[in-house]
Amino acid sequence: MDSIAGRPGTRRTRLRTAVAVCAVALGTLATLGTPANAATGAAPSASSDRAARAGTPWKLRTPLSETASREFWDVAATGAKDAWAVGRRTDGAAGPAPLIRHWNGSTWTGVPAASTGGRPAQLEKVAAAAPDDAWAAGTVTDNTSAPIVLQHWNGTKWTKVGHAAPAEGSLSFVGDLAAFGKKAAWLTSFDWDPNGDTQVSRLERWTGSAWETVSLPAAPDGGQVQPWDITGTGPDDVWVTASAMTGEVSVPLLYHWNGGGWTVREVPAPGEHPTGWVANHAVATGRNSVYVVGKTNDPQSPTATMATRWTGSRWQSLPALPLDEANAAGADGAGRLWIAGWTPGNRHSVLARWTGAGWATEELPADVTEHSEMSTVLGVAGVPGTKGVLAAGTAGCASDPVQCGVLVSRDLG
């Protein structure tokens, strides 16, 4: 069902999702945990598995380091010679520090992040609209009430951008980040009060000088609206997934901003579930094409997954994901949908592409799978002007607890 609302005024998924995200945001790969159905012994060693890994079209772009802890949480690109990866390094005595790498078409190099005032912090999301216009967002990791970490790239350096602090006793977390131009960046975030077990979610837009809170229209059938993932093709074509929470039951929603008003649609779920469904990821592959990927509203692991596409006039259901859950989703430069996550019995993430008729699953390169105990992909981004795609994540190297940052690509030469 659809409804229309006017211009946004001043203005998650659910609380259990907040708790899960808190664990991810504050932890390492070990904290993320081994996938529930992964093998508990050594990684599979059958010759067919080795052949599949050796023949994967994915390439490792930076060597795994076992001398310093590095983790990548997200990746973004504006072209074949301009891409960013963000995360954290944890080898210093002061605790986690933001990590930023830039791709110039031939190499990844470190770029200094803006100061966090000496506080331990990490960057979890990155979005880029142009070579001189990129955003990074993350959190302070000392378990204190602190503003979200926001930084902007102007083509020369990263600078700190202020953000309101949460209420005393609450912790701030990033949901998602997207950039479509100098005055068209979008952010979702939430503040979680661990004492009261309550959460406040928000959607914000960058006006060119400040972050402005945006109010979404009410859910068609009621419920508390909690925005989460953001995608789109431009300032007048922005999509935001949300959950409409009524008690413990979640209804997935998809909001669309056309530059002047909002449209909201309920995302069709593949079946009934006692606690409903959540839309974790949205990926726009055109002005009238947006994929929504999600799962059942389960605080630990899904009992089922969902994938569907809005064509501009109707919903088109996709088969269940070939993964336990999508940890990341994006589109390559050719507009093909990619998701990443774990498969049964595999300690390493795999990547799956929607072909239009089914899911085609591919392994990470052997440089990752044969030189680490487990891995996860946390960010996927297409490279405009090419058919290529980048993926970023982290791997548990042999010298645990060292975490090795993973940057891989496909169809980029």
Side-chain angles (χ1 to χ4, degrees), residues 154-178:
N154 63 6
T156 302
K157 65 179 181 178
W158 289 92
T159 57
K160 177 183 176 180
V161 178
H163 192 272
E168 186 65 29
S170 293
L171 303 176
S172 289
F173 295 94
V174 175
D176 200 17
L177 178 68

Side-chain angles (χ1 to χ4, degrees), residues 132-156:
D132 63 350
D133 183 22
W135 287 89
T139 51
V140 172
T141 60
D142 58 7
N143 286 331
T144 60
S145 297
I148 285 171
V149 176
L150 283 172
Q151 303 192 0
H152 181 257
W153 172 258
N154 63 6
T156 302

